[in-house]
Amino acid sequence: MEVVICTSAEEIGRHVADVYEEALRRPDPVIGLATGSSPLLAYQELIRRHREEGLSFAGATAFLLDEYVGLPAAHPESYAAVIRRELVDHVDLAPARVHSPDGTATDLPAECARYEALIARAGGIDVQLLGIGTDGHVGFNEPMSSLSSRTRPKTLTEQTRQDNARFFGSVDDVPRHVLTQGLGTIGEARHLVLVATGEGKAEAVAAAVEGPLSARCPASVLQWHPHATVFVDEAAASHLDFADYYRHALAHKPKWQGF
Ligand code: F6R
């Protein structure tokens, strides 16, 4: 795992955009997208590169991590709508090639199996963007999720519902249930890119990066991955014991080595 401590959220956005640009320049790219606040600056930078530098998403296929159960794609806070609003509407990514689990399906386990098969048929995900919950979730794999779990329905913790209330009118409007790629599903993406900013994420980041590999902190599954990059700002890095080492390694990073 490579931990990159950045001076600003904008710098993180540029690094993530670099990683996605490299993936997008390869044939038939399959990109994994996250929602929530953490990816927004990266999406804005990708949109800028599309408009000003001709970066194209034309050949790409995209998969979302998760979706709320019971919210139709037309609901403004469904993750299908959020990703359209924040990224897809502004670039040349074909909407038909942007996939998310359908949280309104009548048979949710069957919908999850369909989603897994769709990812497999696309040849797997080249690069998967991840935020991290204050309780250490990635996707919506809440604490004690199986480290080998597949896409399935999950129940949100009350902490996550409180955290996400800012996107809804009130916490009462935040759905209790979600469909999420499992930790096993996420772990099969060829490159995992986790982004976290702010003091509120510091404890979760420290548990994920330097704590034990444990279902108690689902994001610690990144420690098991052969290619995981964690971009954090100073505040999110503030509980890391090895912060000086990460800075040292970055300062001496060989020119030929990308993220
Ligand atoms: C969103 C997702 C979640 C968020 C996490 C952090 O698709 O899977 O794991 O990444 O809840 O959310 P923000 O970035 O809003 O703090």
Side-chain angles (χ1 to χ4, degrees):
M1 179 190 299
E2 183 170 16
V3 180
V4 183
I5 302 174
C6 300
T7 51
S8 68
E10 287 74 17
E11 184 189 345
I12 296 176
R14 286 193 296 274
H15 284 315
V16 173
D18 287 346
V19 171
Y20 272 69
E21 176 162 354
E22 203 186 312
L24 287 163
R25 292 196 184 283
R26 291 194 291 264
D28 305 318
V30 182
I31 55 174
L33 302 173
T35 44
S37 312
S38 305
L40 293 180
L41 287 175
Y43 294 158
Q44 285 164 23
E45 174 64 10
L46 284 167
I47 292 165
R48 190 196 65 75
R49 292 182 193 192
H50 169 71
R51 286 185 177 149
E52 296 175 14
E53 296 169 12
L55 175 65
S56 178
F57 293 69
T61 302
F63 288 94
L64 266 65
L65 280 170
D66 39 24
E67 183 56 280
Y68 291 109
V69 168
L71 294 195
H75 187 288
E77 290 312 323
S78 75
Y79 281 166
V82 169
I83 206 67
R84 270 200 311 273
R85 194 165 64 234
E86 302 297 349
L87 180 66
V88 182
D89 282 352
H90 311 283
V91 295
D92 58 345
L93 180 51
R97 295 174 76 153
V98 180
H99 304 287
S100 53
D102 178 1
T104 64
T106 42
D107 184 341
L108 293 175
E111 169 58 12
C112 293
R114 182 196 69 86
Y115 198 62
E116 285 277 333
L118 210 56
I119 295 173
R121 224 172 21 248
I125 294 171
D126 293 317
V127 53
Q128 176 65 61
L129 188 54
L130 301 166
I132 183 170
T134 54
D135 63 2
H137 69 231
V138 283
F140 273 137
N141 294 280
E142 297 286 30
M144 308 321 297
S145 289
S146 159
L147 295 175
S148 62
S149 48
R150 311 303 307 186
T151 303
R152 68 212 184 291
K154 283 292 287 182
T155 304
L156 294 179
T157 62
E158 284 307 290
Q159 183 176 335
T160 298
R161 292 184 70 236
Q162 292 285 352
D163 288 347
N164 286 5
R166 69 190 193 280
F167 297 115
F168 291 81
S170 96
V171 69
D172 299 329
D173 296 329
V174 183
R176 285 187 191 284
H177 298 106
V178 292
L179 303 182
T180 181
Q181 285 188 35
L183 294 174
T185 319
I186 291 169
E188 285 172 7
R190 289 178 275 280
H191 185 186
L192 298 181
V193 176
L194 187 141
V195 171
T197 55
E199 169 71 26
K201 297 290 175 73
E203 202 180 316
V205 166
V209 172
E210 297 178 347
L213 171 54
S214 163
R216 183 173 280 269
C217 178
S220 66
V221 77
L222 267 73
Q223 294 178 30
W224 194 248
H225 197 278
H227 190 184
T229 312
V230 175
F231 292 107
V232 283
D233 66 1
E234 292 286 348
S238 59
H239 293 202
L240 290 172
D241 291 339
F242 291 86
D244 285 345
Y245 170 66
Y246 308 138
R247 288 192 190 94
H248 172 82
L250 187 65
H252 297 281
K253 192 173 169 67
K255 285 254 178 301
W256 51 263
Q257 187 190 49
F259 289 118

